[in-house]
Amino acid sequence: MQIITEPGQMQAIAEKLRLNRQCIGVVMTMGALHEGHLSLVKLARESAGIIILTIFVNPTQFGVNEDLHLYPRPFEKDAALAKSAGVDYLFAPETGSIYPEHSQTTVECSGVASRFEGERRPGHFKGVATIVTKLLNITKPHIAIFGEKDAQQLAVIRRLVEDLNMDIKIIGAPIVREKNGLAVSSRNIYLSNEERDAATILYKGICHAQQRVGEQAHNLLTIAEEIEAMINRTPGCRSDYVGFVDEATFEPVETAETGRKYLLLLAMYSGAVRLIDNGKIDA
Ligand code: PAF
């Protein structure tokens, strides 16, 4: 596995790989690699001959009150994990080479980025859309894999790739869950044992929704309220939002129509740790 830090060098390598007719798959991360990231690499391997993994803790997607400086950066451990997962190139640039002082351009997506995480974390998706565009231009992939855990981020990326006419296939990778249903996330390391147990209420909420919709309950607002109550009744937990949306547009949906699929979005605090999750719900 080769470690590259300069965008220009990464671009030159990617260009050469393309000229040699290699199919490039990229997996973008902010490091602190876990099972979820490794599942993205595995999925990328199914479609691409060359895997580039990027590690970049992107400052522009963190809000003023968020944990940019506390964000874990275990680079040596990450590099070892990436190597053993079969990554070919690890691209880990410095902030200054990605955001030089003279840079003036950002990428912003409206509709799909406007609600839920977009509302709670102003500027977050502008930071994500900008860095993802930059990393796609630097790594020149044919395919790019993103986790379905960050469902709204995935929808924003699908939107931007289509809107900016990028010739890149975006693949969503299923959420990896622990045995108890908790979605694997970099933030889980901040949870105490009690908070971790309590956080399984998110998955219980998803199961509740699937069961209620399966029983022909059509009022999604009522089901969302039931899940919020479940979360708020759990010691140490506080619901931030629970809502059903159309998967592609992220438009909120209030009434389920038989035969359609929806996405249930959930965000809550377990202690001081903010967690998000989502589940596909078939009506
Ligand atoms: O999902 C993440 O880890 C980040 O948002 C991403 C896509 C790597 C952009 O910084």
Side-chain angles (χ1 to χ4, degrees):
M1 184 183 77
Q2 214 175 316
I3 299 178
I4 314 289
T5 56
E6 287 306 318
Q9 194 192 352
M10 187 69 257
Q11 274 171 323
I13 290 171
E15 190 54 33
K16 206 165 163 193
L17 290 165
R18 279 186 159 256
L19 288 172
N20 286 336
R21 300 198 163 277
Q22 299 272 19
C23 176
I24 305 175
V26 69
V27 173
M28 297 180 191
T29 79
M30 298 209 295
L33 300 184
H34 52 61
E35 223 187 311
H37 297 118
L38 301 180
S39 76
L40 305 186
V41 174
K42 203 167 161 204
L43 193 59
R45 266 265 163 260
E46 289 176 15
S47 317
I50 297 288
I51 309 298
I52 302 175
L53 182 113
T54 71
I55 295 185
F56 180 66
V57 182
N58 175 35
T60 65
Q61 69 187 76
F62 285 77
V64 273
N65 300 321
E66 294 180 18
D67 50 1
L68 172 63
H69 299 293
L70 295 177
Y71 204 85
R73 291 168 171 82
F75 185 75
E76 301 303 322
K77 190 175 162 213
D78 284 349
L81 278 171
K83 191 173 173 192
S84 60
V87 167
D88 299 286
Y89 296 92
L90 173 56
F91 178 58
E94 294 293 333
T95 307
S97 67
I98 293 293
Y99 295 114
E101 268 171 30
H102 57 262
S103 102
Q104 299 181 355
T105 306
T106 53
V107 180
E108 202 164 357
C109 176
S110 47
V112 72
S114 60
R115 298 189 187 84
F116 301 100
E117 290 304 290
E119 230 162 49
R120 299 307 196 275
R121 304 178 68 189
H124 171 69
F125 284 125
K126 184 167 143 185
V128 170
T130 302
I131 190 62
V132 168
T133 304
K134 280 171 167 281
L135 292 172
L136 291 174
N137 286 335
I138 293 169
T139 58
K140 304 177 186 253
H142 298 87
I143 62 160
I145 319 282
F146 295 90
E148 289 177 351
K149 159 84 172 36
D150 293 308
Q152 195 171 6
Q153 167 173 285
L154 177 59
V156 167
I157 293 167
R158 286 194 195 282
R159 194 67 265 147
L160 91 83
V161 163
E162 190 179 329
D163 291 351
L164 300 182
N165 303 92
M166 295 180 180
D167 187 13
I168 301 167
K169 185 174 175 196
I170 301 298
I171 299 176
I175 298 176
V176 177
R177 296 188 182 278
E178 295 180 0
K179 272 206 187 87
N180 59 12
L182 181 66
V184 171
S185 157
S186 310
R187 286 171 175 264
N188 294 356
I189 56 167
Y190 300 123
L191 296 168
S192 67
N193 287 342
E194 293 75 32
E195 289 164 349
R196 211 183 172 87
D197 286 345
T200 58
I201 192 66
L202 285 171
Y203 185 62
K204 290 176 190 139
I206 296 169
C207 297
H208 176 78
Q210 187 55 74
Q211 188 190 331
R212 293 277 281 119
V213 172
E215 290 163 358
Q216 301 301 308
H218 291 284
N219 190 335
L220 299 178
L221 288 181
T222 304
I223 300 173
E225 279 168 15
E226 289 165 5
I227 298 168
E228 292 215 273
M230 285 167 67
I231 293 172
N232 291 330
R233 273 198 309 269
T234 306
C237 294
R238 178 164 57 88
S239 168
D240 188 358
Y241 61 73
V242 177
F244 291 83
V245 294
D246 174 282
E247 195 171 358
T249 62
F250 269 70
E251 289 288 336
V253 185
E254 297 184 2
T255 311
E257 284 170 37
T258 307
R260 288 197 56 189
K261 289 179 193 301
Y262 302 99
L263 202 56
L264 168 65
L265 305 174
L266 312 95
M268 67 159 220
Y269 290 87
S270 185
V273 185
R274 187 168 183 276
L275 300 168
I276 59 170
D277 203 343
N278 67 82
K280 293 178 186 176
I281 307 294
D282 297 327

